[in-house]
Short mmCIF file of all heavy atoms in Angstrom, two decimals:
data_model
loop_
_atom_site.label_atom_id
_atom_site.label_comp_id
_atom_site.label_asym_id
_atom_site.label_seq_id
_atom_site.Cartn_x
_atom_site.Cartn_y
_atom_site.Cartn_z
N MET A 1 -11.55 43.32 27.66
CA MET A 1 -11.28 42.74 26.35
C MET A 1 -12.50 41.90 25.95
O MET A 1 -13.05 41.17 26.74
CB MET A 1 -10.02 41.87 26.44
CG MET A 1 -9.57 41.34 25.10
SD MET A 1 -8.03 40.40 25.21
CE MET A 1 -6.87 41.72 25.32
N ARG A 2 -12.92 42.01 24.72
CA ARG A 2 -14.09 41.28 24.23
C ARG A 2 -13.75 39.82 24.01
O ARG A 2 -12.62 39.44 23.76
CB ARG A 2 -14.56 41.91 22.93
CG ARG A 2 -15.05 43.33 23.15
CD ARG A 2 -15.47 43.98 21.89
NE ARG A 2 -16.41 43.13 21.16
CZ ARG A 2 -16.77 43.34 19.91
NH1 ARG A 2 -16.27 44.37 19.28
NH2 ARG A 2 -17.60 42.55 19.30
N ASP A 3 -14.78 38.96 24.13
CA ASP A 3 -14.59 37.52 23.96
C ASP A 3 -13.97 37.18 22.61
O ASP A 3 -13.12 36.31 22.52
CB ASP A 3 -15.92 36.77 24.10
CG ASP A 3 -16.41 36.76 25.53
OD1 ASP A 3 -15.60 37.07 26.44
OD2 ASP A 3 -17.58 36.45 25.75
N SER A 4 -14.40 37.86 21.56
CA SER A 4 -13.86 37.56 20.23
C SER A 4 -12.37 37.90 20.16
O SER A 4 -11.60 37.18 19.53
CB SER A 4 -14.62 38.32 19.15
OG SER A 4 -14.57 39.71 19.40
N ALA A 5 -11.96 38.97 20.83
CA ALA A 5 -10.54 39.33 20.83
C ALA A 5 -9.73 38.30 21.61
O ALA A 5 -8.63 37.93 21.21
CB ALA A 5 -10.35 40.71 21.44
N ILE A 6 -10.28 37.81 22.71
CA ILE A 6 -9.60 36.78 23.49
C ILE A 6 -9.46 35.51 22.66
O ILE A 6 -8.41 34.88 22.66
CB ILE A 6 -10.34 36.51 24.81
CG1 ILE A 6 -10.20 37.71 25.74
CG2 ILE A 6 -9.80 35.25 25.49
CD1 ILE A 6 -11.03 37.63 26.99
N SER A 7 -10.51 35.14 21.93
CA SER A 7 -10.45 33.95 21.09
C SER A 7 -9.34 34.05 20.05
O SER A 7 -8.62 33.10 19.80
CB SER A 7 -11.79 33.72 20.38
OG SER A 7 -12.79 33.43 21.31
N ILE A 8 -9.24 35.22 19.44
CA ILE A 8 -8.20 35.42 18.43
C ILE A 8 -6.82 35.32 19.08
O ILE A 8 -5.93 34.66 18.56
CB ILE A 8 -8.37 36.77 17.73
CG1 ILE A 8 -9.63 36.73 16.86
CG2 ILE A 8 -7.15 37.12 16.89
CD1 ILE A 8 -10.07 38.08 16.34
N LEU A 9 -6.65 35.93 20.23
CA LEU A 9 -5.36 35.88 20.91
C LEU A 9 -5.00 34.46 21.33
O LEU A 9 -3.87 34.03 21.19
CB LEU A 9 -5.36 36.78 22.14
CG LEU A 9 -5.32 38.28 21.86
CD1 LEU A 9 -5.53 39.05 23.16
CD2 LEU A 9 -4.00 38.66 21.22
N LEU A 10 -5.98 33.72 21.84
CA LEU A 10 -5.71 32.36 22.30
C LEU A 10 -5.47 31.39 21.16
O LEU A 10 -4.79 30.39 21.32
CB LEU A 10 -6.85 31.86 23.19
CG LEU A 10 -6.97 32.55 24.53
CD1 LEU A 10 -8.18 32.04 25.28
CD2 LEU A 10 -5.72 32.40 25.36
N SER A 11 -6.01 31.68 19.99
CA SER A 11 -5.82 30.78 18.85
C SER A 11 -4.60 31.15 18.03
O SER A 11 -4.24 30.46 17.08
CB SER A 11 -7.06 30.77 17.97
OG SER A 11 -7.25 32.04 17.40
N ASP A 12 -3.96 32.24 18.38
CA ASP A 12 -2.77 32.68 17.65
C ASP A 12 -1.65 31.66 17.79
O ASP A 12 -1.54 30.95 18.77
CB ASP A 12 -2.31 34.03 18.22
CG ASP A 12 -1.26 34.70 17.35
OD1 ASP A 12 -1.11 34.30 16.20
OD2 ASP A 12 -0.60 35.63 17.84
N VAL A 13 -0.82 31.58 16.77
CA VAL A 13 0.33 30.68 16.82
C VAL A 13 1.27 31.16 17.92
O VAL A 13 1.61 32.34 17.99
CB VAL A 13 1.06 30.66 15.47
CG1 VAL A 13 2.31 29.80 15.55
CG2 VAL A 13 0.13 30.17 14.37
N THR A 14 1.66 30.22 18.79
CA THR A 14 2.54 30.59 19.89
C THR A 14 3.92 30.95 19.38
O THR A 14 4.52 30.24 18.60
CB THR A 14 2.65 29.43 20.90
OG1 THR A 14 1.34 29.11 21.35
CG2 THR A 14 3.51 29.79 22.07
N THR A 15 4.39 32.08 19.84
CA THR A 15 5.75 32.53 19.50
C THR A 15 6.48 32.79 20.80
O THR A 15 5.91 32.75 21.88
CB THR A 15 5.70 33.83 18.67
OG1 THR A 15 5.14 34.85 19.49
CG2 THR A 15 4.90 33.66 17.40
N ARG A 16 7.77 33.08 20.71
CA ARG A 16 8.53 33.42 21.92
C ARG A 16 7.95 34.65 22.60
O ARG A 16 7.99 34.77 23.81
CB ARG A 16 10.00 33.65 21.58
CG ARG A 16 10.71 32.39 21.20
CD ARG A 16 12.21 32.66 21.08
NE ARG A 16 12.88 31.50 20.56
CZ ARG A 16 13.39 30.54 21.32
NH1 ARG A 16 13.28 30.63 22.62
NH2 ARG A 16 14.00 29.51 20.79
N TRP A 17 7.36 35.56 21.83
CA TRP A 17 6.80 36.78 22.39
C TRP A 17 5.61 36.51 23.28
O TRP A 17 5.47 37.06 24.34
CB TRP A 17 6.41 37.74 21.27
CG TRP A 17 5.77 38.98 21.79
CD1 TRP A 17 6.40 40.06 22.31
CD2 TRP A 17 4.38 39.25 21.86
NE1 TRP A 17 5.49 41.00 22.69
CE2 TRP A 17 4.23 40.52 22.43
CE3 TRP A 17 3.24 38.55 21.50
CZ2 TRP A 17 3.00 41.11 22.66
CZ3 TRP A 17 2.00 39.13 21.71
CH2 TRP A 17 1.90 40.39 22.28
N ASN A 18 4.71 35.61 22.85
CA ASN A 18 3.48 35.39 23.62
C ASN A 18 3.45 34.04 24.32
O ASN A 18 2.42 33.65 24.86
CB ASN A 18 2.24 35.58 22.75
CG ASN A 18 2.05 34.48 21.73
OD1 ASN A 18 2.86 33.57 21.61
ND2 ASN A 18 0.97 34.55 21.00
N GLU A 19 4.54 33.33 24.33
CA GLU A 19 4.57 32.00 24.96
C GLU A 19 4.20 32.12 26.44
O GLU A 19 4.75 32.92 27.17
CB GLU A 19 5.97 31.41 24.82
CG GLU A 19 6.04 29.97 25.25
CD GLU A 19 7.39 29.37 24.93
OE1 GLU A 19 7.86 29.54 23.78
OE2 GLU A 19 7.97 28.77 25.82
N GLY A 20 3.23 31.34 26.86
CA GLY A 20 2.81 31.35 28.25
C GLY A 20 1.69 32.33 28.55
O GLY A 20 1.11 32.29 29.62
N TRP A 21 1.35 33.21 27.62
CA TRP A 21 0.30 34.20 27.85
C TRP A 21 -1.03 33.53 28.15
O TRP A 21 -1.77 33.96 29.03
CB TRP A 21 0.16 35.10 26.61
CG TRP A 21 -0.86 36.17 26.81
CD1 TRP A 21 -0.63 37.41 27.33
CD2 TRP A 21 -2.25 36.10 26.53
NE1 TRP A 21 -1.81 38.11 27.38
CE2 TRP A 21 -2.82 37.32 26.89
CE3 TRP A 21 -3.09 35.12 26.01
CZ2 TRP A 21 -4.17 37.59 26.75
CZ3 TRP A 21 -4.43 35.39 25.87
CH2 TRP A 21 -4.96 36.61 26.24
N GLU A 22 -1.32 32.44 27.44
CA GLU A 22 -2.59 31.75 27.61
C GLU A 22 -2.74 31.23 29.03
O GLU A 22 -3.78 31.40 29.67
CB GLU A 22 -2.74 30.60 26.61
CG GLU A 22 -2.72 31.04 25.16
CD GLU A 22 -1.33 31.12 24.55
OE1 GLU A 22 -0.33 31.04 25.29
OE2 GLU A 22 -1.24 31.27 23.33
N ILE A 23 -1.70 30.58 29.54
CA ILE A 23 -1.74 30.03 30.90
C ILE A 23 -1.87 31.16 31.92
O ILE A 23 -2.63 31.06 32.88
CB ILE A 23 -0.48 29.18 31.19
CG1 ILE A 23 -0.40 28.01 30.20
CG2 ILE A 23 -0.47 28.70 32.62
CD1 ILE A 23 -1.57 27.05 30.24
N ALA A 24 -1.15 32.24 31.70
CA ALA A 24 -1.24 33.38 32.62
C ALA A 24 -2.64 33.97 32.63
O ALA A 24 -3.18 34.29 33.69
CB ALA A 24 -0.22 34.45 32.23
N ALA A 25 -3.27 34.08 31.47
CA ALA A 25 -4.63 34.64 31.38
C ALA A 25 -5.62 33.76 32.12
O ALA A 25 -6.52 34.25 32.80
CB ALA A 25 -5.03 34.79 29.92
N ILE A 26 -5.46 32.46 32.02
CA ILE A 26 -6.33 31.52 32.74
C ILE A 26 -6.06 31.61 34.24
O ILE A 26 -7.00 31.67 35.04
CB ILE A 26 -6.13 30.08 32.22
CG1 ILE A 26 -6.64 29.98 30.79
CG2 ILE A 26 -6.82 29.07 33.12
CD1 ILE A 26 -6.22 28.71 30.07
N THR A 27 -4.81 31.65 34.62
CA THR A 27 -4.42 31.66 36.03
C THR A 27 -4.96 32.87 36.78
O THR A 27 -5.45 32.75 37.90
CB THR A 27 -2.88 31.62 36.17
OG1 THR A 27 -2.41 30.44 35.51
CG2 THR A 27 -2.44 31.60 37.61
N VAL A 28 -4.90 34.03 36.16
CA VAL A 28 -5.36 35.25 36.85
C VAL A 28 -6.85 35.49 36.67
O VAL A 28 -7.39 36.45 37.21
CB VAL A 28 -4.55 36.49 36.41
CG1 VAL A 28 -3.10 36.33 36.76
CG2 VAL A 28 -4.75 36.81 34.95
N GLY A 29 -7.54 34.63 35.93
CA GLY A 29 -8.99 34.75 35.80
C GLY A 29 -9.48 35.58 34.63
O GLY A 29 -10.67 35.89 34.56
N CYS A 30 -8.61 35.96 33.71
CA CYS A 30 -9.05 36.72 32.53
C CYS A 30 -9.86 35.85 31.59
O CYS A 30 -10.70 36.36 30.84
CB CYS A 30 -7.84 37.28 31.78
SG CYS A 30 -6.99 38.58 32.64
N VAL A 31 -9.61 34.56 31.62
CA VAL A 31 -10.32 33.63 30.74
C VAL A 31 -10.97 32.58 31.63
O VAL A 31 -10.29 31.91 32.41
CB VAL A 31 -9.34 32.96 29.75
CG1 VAL A 31 -10.07 31.95 28.88
CG2 VAL A 31 -8.65 34.00 28.91
N ASP A 32 -12.28 32.44 31.52
CA ASP A 32 -13.03 31.44 32.29
C ASP A 32 -13.12 30.17 31.47
O ASP A 32 -13.75 30.16 30.41
CB ASP A 32 -14.42 31.97 32.62
CG ASP A 32 -15.23 31.00 33.45
OD1 ASP A 32 -14.65 30.02 33.98
OD2 ASP A 32 -16.43 31.23 33.59
N ILE A 33 -12.50 29.11 31.91
CA ILE A 33 -12.46 27.87 31.13
C ILE A 33 -13.48 26.83 31.61
O ILE A 33 -13.55 25.74 31.05
CB ILE A 33 -11.05 27.25 31.12
CG1 ILE A 33 -10.60 26.88 32.52
CG2 ILE A 33 -10.07 28.17 30.45
CD1 ILE A 33 -9.35 26.05 32.57
N ASP A 34 -14.28 27.15 32.62
CA ASP A 34 -15.22 26.17 33.16
C ASP A 34 -16.17 25.61 32.12
O ASP A 34 -16.51 24.42 32.15
CB ASP A 34 -16.01 26.76 34.32
CG ASP A 34 -15.16 26.91 35.58
OD1 ASP A 34 -14.13 26.20 35.68
OD2 ASP A 34 -15.52 27.72 36.44
N ASP A 35 -16.62 26.42 31.18
CA ASP A 35 -17.54 25.95 30.14
C ASP A 35 -16.87 25.00 29.16
O ASP A 35 -17.54 24.28 28.43
CB ASP A 35 -18.14 27.11 29.37
CG ASP A 35 -19.13 27.90 30.22
OD1 ASP A 35 -19.62 27.36 31.22
OD2 ASP A 35 -19.39 29.07 29.87
N TYR A 36 -15.55 24.98 29.13
CA TYR A 36 -14.83 24.13 28.19
C TYR A 36 -14.41 22.80 28.80
O TYR A 36 -13.98 21.91 28.10
CB TYR A 36 -13.58 24.86 27.68
CG TYR A 36 -13.93 26.13 26.95
CD1 TYR A 36 -13.82 27.36 27.58
CD2 TYR A 36 -14.39 26.10 25.65
CE1 TYR A 36 -14.16 28.53 26.92
CE2 TYR A 36 -14.72 27.26 24.98
CZ TYR A 36 -14.60 28.48 25.63
OH TYR A 36 -14.94 29.62 24.97
N ILE A 37 -14.53 22.66 30.11
CA ILE A 37 -14.16 21.41 30.78
C ILE A 37 -15.37 20.50 30.76
O ILE A 37 -16.41 20.80 31.34
CB ILE A 37 -13.71 21.68 32.22
CG1 ILE A 37 -12.47 22.57 32.22
CG2 ILE A 37 -13.43 20.36 32.94
CD1 ILE A 37 -12.04 23.04 33.59
N THR A 38 -15.25 19.39 30.04
CA THR A 38 -16.39 18.48 29.90
C THR A 38 -16.30 17.27 30.81
O THR A 38 -17.31 16.64 31.09
CB THR A 38 -16.50 17.99 28.45
OG1 THR A 38 -15.28 17.34 28.09
CG2 THR A 38 -16.78 19.15 27.50
N HIS A 39 -15.11 16.93 31.27
CA HIS A 39 -14.92 15.76 32.11
C HIS A 39 -13.88 16.06 33.19
O HIS A 39 -12.90 16.74 32.93
CB HIS A 39 -14.43 14.57 31.29
CG HIS A 39 -15.36 14.19 30.19
ND1 HIS A 39 -15.37 14.84 28.98
CD2 HIS A 39 -16.32 13.24 30.11
CE1 HIS A 39 -16.29 14.30 28.20
NE2 HIS A 39 -16.88 13.33 28.87
N ARG A 40 -14.12 15.54 34.37
CA ARG A 40 -13.17 15.72 35.47
C ARG A 40 -12.83 14.36 36.06
O ARG A 40 -13.68 13.49 36.17
CB ARG A 40 -13.75 16.62 36.56
CG ARG A 40 -14.00 18.03 36.07
CD ARG A 40 -14.56 18.89 37.20
NE ARG A 40 -14.96 20.18 36.70
CZ ARG A 40 -14.17 21.25 36.70
NH1 ARG A 40 -12.96 21.17 37.17
NH2 ARG A 40 -14.61 22.40 36.22
N SER A 41 -11.57 14.22 36.45
CA SER A 41 -11.12 12.96 37.01
C SER A 41 -9.80 13.17 37.72
O SER A 41 -9.04 14.08 37.39
CB SER A 41 -10.95 11.93 35.89
OG SER A 41 -10.43 10.73 36.40
N SER A 42 -9.52 12.29 38.65
CA SER A 42 -8.18 12.31 39.25
C SER A 42 -7.22 11.67 38.26
O SER A 42 -7.63 10.96 37.34
CB SER A 42 -8.18 11.52 40.56
OG SER A 42 -8.38 10.15 40.29
N LEU A 43 -5.95 11.91 38.44
CA LEU A 43 -4.95 11.29 37.55
C LEU A 43 -5.02 9.77 37.64
O LEU A 43 -4.83 9.08 36.64
CB LEU A 43 -3.55 11.78 37.90
CG LEU A 43 -3.24 13.21 37.52
CD1 LEU A 43 -1.87 13.62 38.04
CD2 LEU A 43 -3.30 13.40 36.02
N GLU A 44 -5.30 9.26 38.82
CA GLU A 44 -5.36 7.81 39.02
C GLU A 44 -6.51 7.17 38.23
O GLU A 44 -6.39 6.07 37.73
CB GLU A 44 -5.51 7.48 40.50
CG GLU A 44 -4.30 7.84 41.34
CD GLU A 44 -4.28 9.31 41.75
OE1 GLU A 44 -5.31 10.01 41.64
OE2 GLU A 44 -3.21 9.78 42.17
N ASP A 45 -7.63 7.88 38.12
CA ASP A 45 -8.82 7.33 37.43
C ASP A 45 -8.85 7.64 35.95
O ASP A 45 -9.64 7.07 35.21
CB ASP A 45 -10.09 7.89 38.07
CG ASP A 45 -10.29 7.39 39.48
OD1 ASP A 45 -9.77 6.30 39.81
OD2 ASP A 45 -10.97 8.09 40.26
N MET A 46 -8.03 8.56 35.49
CA MET A 46 -8.09 9.04 34.12
C MET A 46 -7.95 7.92 33.09
O MET A 46 -8.73 7.85 32.14
CB MET A 46 -7.01 10.09 33.88
CG MET A 46 -7.04 10.67 32.48
SD MET A 46 -5.76 11.91 32.25
CE MET A 46 -4.29 10.94 32.41
N ILE A 47 -6.99 7.04 33.24
CA ILE A 47 -6.76 5.97 32.26
C ILE A 47 -7.99 5.07 32.15
O ILE A 47 -8.42 4.74 31.04
CB ILE A 47 -5.51 5.15 32.63
CG1 ILE A 47 -4.27 6.02 32.64
CG2 ILE A 47 -5.34 3.96 31.69
CD1 ILE A 47 -3.93 6.66 31.31
N ASP A 48 -8.58 4.71 33.27
CA ASP A 48 -9.76 3.84 33.25
C ASP A 48 -10.98 4.51 32.63
O ASP A 48 -11.81 3.86 32.01
CB ASP A 48 -10.10 3.37 34.66
CG ASP A 48 -9.04 2.44 35.23
OD1 ASP A 48 -8.35 1.77 34.43
OD2 ASP A 48 -8.91 2.39 36.46
N ARG A 49 -11.10 5.81 32.78
CA ARG A 49 -12.29 6.53 32.30
C ARG A 49 -12.16 7.07 30.87
O ARG A 49 -13.15 7.42 30.26
CB ARG A 49 -12.57 7.71 33.23
CG ARG A 49 -12.97 7.28 34.60
CD ARG A 49 -13.27 8.47 35.44
NE ARG A 49 -13.68 8.06 36.77
CZ ARG A 49 -14.20 8.87 37.65
NH1 ARG A 49 -14.39 10.14 37.34
NH2 ARG A 49 -14.54 8.44 38.83
N PHE A 50 -10.95 7.14 30.34
CA PHE A 50 -10.73 7.82 29.07
C PHE A 50 -11.59 7.26 27.94
O PHE A 50 -12.20 8.02 27.18
CB PHE A 50 -9.25 7.77 28.68
CG PHE A 50 -8.95 8.59 27.46
CD1 PHE A 50 -8.82 9.96 27.56
CD2 PHE A 50 -8.83 8.00 26.22
CE1 PHE A 50 -8.56 10.73 26.44
CE2 PHE A 50 -8.56 8.76 25.09
CZ PHE A 50 -8.44 10.13 25.21
N ASP A 51 -11.68 5.95 27.78
CA ASP A 51 -12.47 5.37 26.68
C ASP A 51 -13.93 5.79 26.75
O ASP A 51 -14.55 6.07 25.72
CB ASP A 51 -12.36 3.85 26.69
CG ASP A 51 -11.01 3.36 26.19
OD1 ASP A 51 -10.35 4.11 25.45
OD2 ASP A 51 -10.62 2.23 26.56
N SER A 52 -14.49 5.89 27.95
CA SER A 52 -15.89 6.30 28.06
C SER A 52 -16.07 7.77 27.69
O SER A 52 -17.13 8.17 27.24
CB SER A 52 -16.42 6.04 29.47
OG SER A 52 -15.82 6.91 30.41
N TRP A 53 -15.03 8.58 27.85
CA TRP A 53 -15.13 10.00 27.50
C TRP A 53 -15.24 10.20 26.00
O TRP A 53 -15.70 11.25 25.54
CB TRP A 53 -13.93 10.77 28.01
CG TRP A 53 -13.85 10.86 29.50
CD1 TRP A 53 -14.87 10.66 30.40
CD2 TRP A 53 -12.71 11.20 30.27
NE1 TRP A 53 -14.42 10.83 31.68
CE2 TRP A 53 -13.09 11.17 31.63
CE3 TRP A 53 -11.41 11.52 29.96
CZ2 TRP A 53 -12.21 11.45 32.66
CZ3 TRP A 53 -10.52 11.80 30.98
CH2 TRP A 53 -10.93 11.77 32.33
N LEU A 54 -14.82 9.22 25.22
CA LEU A 54 -14.89 9.35 23.76
C LEU A 54 -16.30 9.15 23.23
O LEU A 54 -16.59 9.49 22.09
CB LEU A 54 -13.94 8.35 23.11
CG LEU A 54 -12.45 8.54 23.47
CD1 LEU A 54 -11.63 7.43 22.85
CD2 LEU A 54 -11.94 9.89 23.04
N LEU A 55 -17.19 8.61 24.06
CA LEU A 55 -18.57 8.39 23.65
C LEU A 55 -19.34 9.71 23.69
O LEU A 55 -19.27 10.44 24.69
CB LEU A 55 -19.23 7.37 24.57
CG LEU A 55 -18.53 6.01 24.63
CD1 LEU A 55 -19.17 5.17 25.73
CD2 LEU A 55 -18.57 5.31 23.30
N PRO A 56 -20.10 10.03 22.64
CA PRO A 56 -20.82 11.30 22.60
C PRO A 56 -21.76 11.49 23.79
O PRO A 56 -21.94 12.62 24.27
CB PRO A 56 -21.62 11.24 21.30
CG PRO A 56 -20.90 10.23 20.47
CD PRO A 56 -20.26 9.26 21.43
N GLU A 57 -22.36 10.44 24.30
CA GLU A 57 -23.31 10.59 25.40
C GLU A 57 -22.65 10.92 26.73
O GLU A 57 -23.33 11.21 27.71
CB GLU A 57 -24.19 9.33 25.53
CG GLU A 57 -23.45 8.07 25.83
CD GLU A 57 -23.00 7.29 24.60
OE1 GLU A 57 -23.03 7.81 23.47
OE2 GLU A 57 -22.63 6.12 24.78
N SER A 58 -21.34 10.88 26.79
CA SER A 58 -20.66 11.15 28.06
C SER A 58 -20.49 12.65 28.32
O SER A 58 -20.06 13.03 29.39
CB SER A 58 -19.29 10.48 28.09
OG SER A 58 -18.37 11.15 27.25
N LYS A 59 -20.81 13.49 27.35
CA LYS A 59 -20.59 14.93 27.51
C LYS A 59 -21.72 15.62 28.16
O LYS A 59 -22.78 15.60 28.11
CB LYS A 59 -20.27 15.56 26.16
CG LYS A 59 -18.96 15.03 25.66
CD LYS A 59 -18.55 15.68 24.38
CE LYS A 59 -17.22 15.07 23.98
NZ LYS A 59 -16.66 15.58 22.81
#
């Protein structure tokens, strides 16, 4: 499947028919999300770090 087709499918309005398709596609590796993850943190550190993530220089 081409990237543009995946983008269209992922941006589609979720309905009962396709609910959960996005998560399944990510889980099985059809969609690589590594380029979209800009910040990583444990749940414990997330609250303390969140304000700094809003700064443009943090990306």
Side-chain angles (χ1 to χ4, degrees):
M1 186 177 282
R2 295 178 51 192
D3 289 345
S4 58
I6 291 173
S7 295
I8 291 168
L9 287 172
L10 291 177
S11 65
D12 192 16
V13 176
T14 302
T15 64
R16 290 188 187 269
W17 177 81
N18 71 357
E19 189 173 311
W21 182 89
E22 298 88 349
I23 300 300
I26 292 167
T27 302
V28 298
C30 290
V31 178
D32 182 12
I33 62 170
D34 287 338
D35 290 339
Y36 300 100
I37 299 173
T38 58
H39 301 82
R40 295 181 187 267
S41 176
S42 67
L43 288 175
E44 293 82 15
D45 293 335
M46 182 179 65
I47 299 299
D48 293 333
R49 294 182 179 191
F50 187 79
D51 287 336
S52 70
W53 293 342
L54 299 176
L55 302 172
E57 61 270 13
S58 74
K59 294 184 180 181

